[in-house]
Amino acid sequence: MEIVYVYVKKRSEFGKQCNFSDRLAELHIDIPPNPELAEQFMARNPVDTGIQCSTSMSEHEANTERFEMETRGVNHVEGGWPKDVNPLELEQTIRFRKKVEKDENYINTIMQLGLVMEHCIKQNNAIDIYQEYFDDEDAVEVTEEAPSAKTINVFRDPQEIKRSATHLSWHPDGNRKLAVAYSCLNFQRAPEGMSHDSYIWDLESPNRPETVLKPSSPLVTLEYNPKDSHVLLGGCYNGQIACWDTRKGSLVAELSTIEFSHRDPVYGTIWLQSKTGTECFSASTDGQVMWWDIRKLSEPTEVVIMDITRKEQLENALGAISLEFESTLPTKFMVGTEQGIVISCNRKAKTQAEKIVCTFPGHHGPVYALQRNPFYPKNFLTVGDWTARIWSEESRESSIMWTKYHMAYLTDGAWSPVRPAVFFTTKMDGTLDIWDFVFKQCDPALSLKDNGGFIACGSQLGTTTLLEVSQGLCNLQRNEKNTASSIFERETRREKILEARHREMRLKERGKAEGREEELREEEGAVNLEELVAKAEQEFYEVIFSELKRKETEALKKEPTDKLSPEESEEVEIEGEGEGEGEEEVEKEEGAEEAPN
């Protein structure tokens, strides 16, 4: 946006034109000093005066015109055919070739062109222009440079009502373009008049998008086809699957029908490795994963219900929010759910229940990111709640590595495509963390606040920031593959040992619990007998105690012992001694009853 304002005023409104000329100076008034006025002033001593020690500087701003670029493409088709010959018709082309071959000048023309082509072929055989001369050398270890990143470009949502940038997808050929999906994920809180458009940006032209994609519903996810860069797959907020061909314009080329689409927003779409390059699958929080063929997008080719109880009931299904598919493992795919569980599935299974192979429980909230390590596919990264975790397929009960619990919620994550030990995470407070667990495992190697070799980050305000990281974070270090592999194997062995120890402890606890139950059953009869005896003794002592109390009250009512005869006094003393002995016996028995408790 250019900050320029033009002031316009008519010449007639300026008034009479001023004509200036040189002349001698004239003295109009001279005021001599007055000593009486000086006496009315009082000198202030001392005087505090502040001075600035730094150099005085001024700031100037200038508006420069931004250089705008425009890209134009040309579609090349097979040429050289006459107008009356259709190059797509095989019979017409064969007939025309035979006609040309019978021409007298045909042989001379071929001979002349043959000499030129022979010269070019000899040049190619003499020098291989595609040869890599330094491919065998080890990667240079870059450790002196501190991790850093700088902002290259910022792509802002051109709409007045700003929306969140919900998904980013790089162009498969050279990462020259970036597809960004925009939508508002707040349920029933989308402002009126909000645009549904998403855009494709050229990295060299951040002023305006190169292509506008116009879906029927806001896009939550958007993915380039790795085999055909003109085709894009999008998941809509209303659950539909849309497909674009940029050669045909901004409108949707194929769209799934609502009755066969998802019931919730489509949070994940991935292209599958197939011969045709037209197969893909999608995931939604309605608990379904659907396979599609964009050549027939009216209904899915297959549906898998994410029910880990294997009862194939949609009401028990877990909501899918992230997907992972690795081309080197064509029969496996993984699903991250809203409940924090990662589900590993098998595509080639015969029944729905067999397609869910195992689960990895580890997060307290939705798994927003799920990705396998590009160098070691058996290890994968998950991002959810306040942590990021690294898992091994061999250890299902617990992750092998994890980050500390952050103060802010984590929103996304991804592995570095060039370094096996580097991954990236984003947080709700607008921070991008770059982790290098070979360099440091407790804290991120670099944190950037709101801000290959380029990283694209989308924000809730609709801005997409392109960052360039330092060479140390995007160049493979010496022996990094072996180091990362040894770390993964070491942590996997440690988790296996801990799992075996926990399993052994659980078996011991289970055995002890079963033994306790048997002992309780055997002691039930003895316990009942002891309770009856204790109850009888208690009733007996209660009768004795009440009788002693009665005799004591009767003795107090009688006359003092000095007026009684010697024989009567002895009887009173004997009764008193009996009462004391009875009380002692009651106290002892009560103490014996309370002791087991």
Side-chain angles (χ1 to χ4, degrees):
M1 183 180 67
E2 298 181 357
I3 308 174
V4 177
Y5 185 80
V6 180
Y7 293 89
V8 180
K9 196 174 184 180
K10 294 182 179 180
R11 178 64 187 86
S12 59
E13 299 177 358
F14 279 95
K16 186 178 180 181
Q17 184 178 1
C18 298
N19 295 323
F20 298 97
S21 60
D22 296 334
R23 59 182 179 83
L24 297 176
E26 296 180 2
L27 180 62
H28 292 279
I29 187 171
D30 182 14
I31 303 176
N34 189 355
E36 296 179 356
L37 295 177
E39 294 178 356
Q40 298 179 6
F41 288 89
M42 181 182 296
R44 187 174 61 178
N45 189 16
V47 178
D48 296 333
T49 304
I51 60 173
Q52 194 75 10
C53 299
S54 61
T55 307
S56 299
M57 303 179 68
S58 60
E59 182 180 359
H60 297 275
E61 295 180 356
N63 290 329
T64 57
E65 294 185 1
R66 195 157 200 158
F67 179 71
E68 295 186 2
M69 299 179 61
E70 186 176 354
T71 304
R72 295 184 180 180
V74 178
N75 290 329
H76 295 276
V77 296
E78 186 177 357
W81 299 98
K83 294 182 179 180
D84 56 345
V85 176
N86 186 2
L88 301 178
E89 292 290 338
L90 185 61
E91 295 181 358
Q92 295 184 15
T93 55
I94 293 175
R95 193 182 303 112
F96 182 75
R97 285 196 185 97
K98 290 181 179 179
K99 180 181 178 182
V100 172
E101 289 174 359
K102 294 179 182 179
D103 192 357
E104 298 178 355
N105 296 328
Y106 175 75
I107 298 176
N108 296 331
T109 305
I110 293 298
M111 293 297 294
Q112 293 177 2
L113 294 176
L115 295 175
V116 179
M117 290 300 300
E118 184 180 3
H119 176 69
C120 296
I121 292 172
K122 288 181 178 180
Q123 280 186 339
N124 291 340
N125 293 335
I127 300 175
D128 185 5
I129 61 175
Y130 299 104
Q131 182 179 355
E132 294 287 346
Y133 293 96
F134 307 102
D135 192 22
D136 297 334
E137 292 190 2
D138 296 334
V140 180
E141 186 175 2
V142 182
T143 56
E144 297 180 358
E145 183 183 4
S148 61
K150 60 180 180 180
T151 303
I152 302 300
N153 267 330
V154 177
F155 306 93
R156 304 185 185 277
D157 185 5
Q159 299 294 330
E160 294 182 1
I161 301 176
K162 303 302 178 185
R163 305 158 295 166
S164 300
T166 55
H167 195 86
L168 309 175
S169 179
W170 286 100
H171 193 278
D173 298 334
N175 298 334
R176 298 176 292 103
K177 300 176 184 179
L178 186 66
V180 184
Y182 296 90
S183 65
C184 178
L185 298 181
N186 295 328
F187 181 65
Q188 293 185 349
R189 294 184 182 178
E192 296 183 2
M194 187 186 73
S195 174
H196 295 174
D197 297 346
S198 293
Y199 306 104
I200 299 176
W201 298 88
D202 190 337
L203 301 187
E204 300 296 333
S205 180
N207 294 328
R208 58 184 178 183
E210 182 186 68
T211 306
V212 180
L213 304 179
K214 295 184 175 297
S216 58
S217 177
L219 291 180
V220 181
T221 179
L222 187 63
E223 291 288 349
Y224 268 109
N225 189 335
K227 287 192 174 182
D228 188 354
S229 59
H230 297 96
V231 179
L232 292 97
L233 179 70
C236 300
Y237 189 80
N238 64 352
Q240 289 181 290
I241 302 297
C243 181
W244 281 268
D245 190 339
T246 55
R247 293 166 294 190
K248 297 180 180 180
S250 300
L251 299 179
V252 177
E254 296 288 341
L255 184 66
S256 64
T257 54
I258 294 180
E259 55 268 23
F260 293 107
S261 301
H262 291 281
R263 303 179 183 179
D264 289 348
V266 181
Y267 286 98
T269 53
I270 288 185
W271 290 95
L272 296 177
Q273 190 76 14
S274 60
K275 295 181 180 180
T276 59
T278 59
E279 297 180 10
C280 59
F281 68 112
S282 61
S284 173
T285 51
D286 61 357
Q288 299 181 95
V289 175
M290 298 183 178
W291 273 260
W292 306 85
D293 191 330
I294 61 173
R295 294 174 298 183
K296 186 183 177 182
L297 207 58
S298 57
E299 59 180 309
T301 58
E302 187 178 355
V303 178
V304 178
I305 299 175
M306 294 291 104
D307 184 5
I308 58 177
T309 61
R310 293 177 172 84
K311 296 181 180 179
E312 302 180 18
Q313 296 180 359
L314 189 59
E315 56 268 18
N316 298 333
L318 304 181
I321 204 168
S322 57
L323 285 174
E324 166 59 29
F325 175 77
E326 174 61 38
S327 58
T328 57
L329 304 171
T331 61
K332 294 183 179 181
F333 70 95
M334 305 184 77
V335 181
T337 64
E338 283 186 308
Q339 290 74 16
I341 299 175
V342 177
I343 304 175
S344 178
C345 304
N346 184 7
R347 291 181 58 200
K348 300 300 182 181
K350 296 181 180 179
T351 62
Q352 292 278 349
E354 293 177 355
K355 289 188 176 181
I356 297 179
V357 179
C358 61
T359 59
F360 299 86
H363 288 282
H364 306 296
V367 181
Y368 288 114
L370 173 62
Q371 186 182 14
R372 291 185 182 271
N373 190 299
F375 297 88
Y376 305 102
K378 69 177 183 179
N379 300 106
F380 57 93
L381 171 72
T382 61
V383 173
D385 51 65
W386 300 271
T387 60
R389 296 177 179 269
I390 299 175
W391 301 76
S392 174
E393 288 187 341
E394 301 174 1
S395 177
R396 300 179 181 178
E397 295 184 4
S398 175
S399 56
I400 60 174
M401 298 176 67
W402 55 87
T403 65
K404 63 181 181 181
Y405 277 80
H406 299 277
M407 297 300 294
Y409 212 75
L410 269 66
T411 57
D412 206 351
W415 286 102
S416 170
V418 293
R419 290 193 55 189
V422 175
F423 64 94
F424 310 90
T425 60
T426 56
K427 293 187 291 188
M428 190 69 77
D429 59 358
T431 303
L432 168 68
D433 291 335
I434 304 176
W435 297 81
D436 184 354
F437 56 79
V438 172
F439 171 67
K440 187 190 298 184
Q441 296 185 6
C442 298
D443 298 306
L446 179 64
S447 293
L448 305 173
K449 178 71 174 178
D450 200 15
N451 251 356
F454 294 99
I455 307 172
C457 306
S459 71
Q460 191 174 6
L461 300 177
T463 60
T464 303
T465 305
L466 183 65
L467 302 169
E468 182 181 8
V469 298
S470 58
Q471 295 295 324
L473 293 173
C474 62
N475 286 344
L476 189 65
Q477 306 294 305
R478 183 179 292 125
N479 297 326
E480 182 178 357
K481 289 185 178 180
N482 297 332
T483 304
S485 177
S486 63
I487 291 175
F488 287 147
E489 291 176 358
R490 180 193 68 197
E491 296 298 327
T492 303
R493 287 196 301 269
R494 181 178 67 85
E495 286 300 324
K496 284 184 177 179
I497 293 171
L498 292 176
E499 287 179 6
R501 178 61 177 164
H502 291 164
R503 197 176 300 113
E504 182 180 353
M505 293 174 64
R506 286 198 296 268
L507 290 175
K508 288 183 179 179
E509 292 293 334
R510 190 181 303 167
K512 290 180 180 180
E514 292 176 356
R516 289 171 187 166
E517 290 179 359
E518 293 178 359
E519 291 177 359
L520 290 174
R521 290 170 186 168
E522 294 176 356
E523 294 176 357
E524 279 182 358
V527 169
N528 294 335
L529 182 60
E530 290 178 358
E531 289 179 355
L532 293 174
V533 173
K535 186 176 181 181
E537 289 180 353
Q538 184 178 1
E539 292 176 354
F540 173 73
Y541 288 122
E542 286 178 356
V543 171
I544 294 174
F545 187 73
S546 61
E547 186 66 21
L548 291 175
K549 286 288 186 182
R550 185 183 63 78
K551 289 182 179 182
E552 185 178 355
T553 54
E554 290 178 355
L556 292 174
K557 293 179 180 179
K558 292 181 179 181
E559 296 179 356
T561 56
D562 53 356
K563 295 181 181 181
L564 297 176
S565 62
E567 295 177 357
E568 292 176 348
S569 64
E570 289 178 1
E571 291 178 358
V572 172
E573 290 177 0
I574 291 170
E575 290 177 356
E577 291 176 1
E579 291 176 358
E581 292 175 359
E583 291 178 356
E584 291 178 358
E585 290 178 358
V586 172
E587 291 177 356
K588 289 180 180 179
E589 292 297 332
E590 290 178 353
E593 292 175 3
E594 293 176 0
N597 297 330

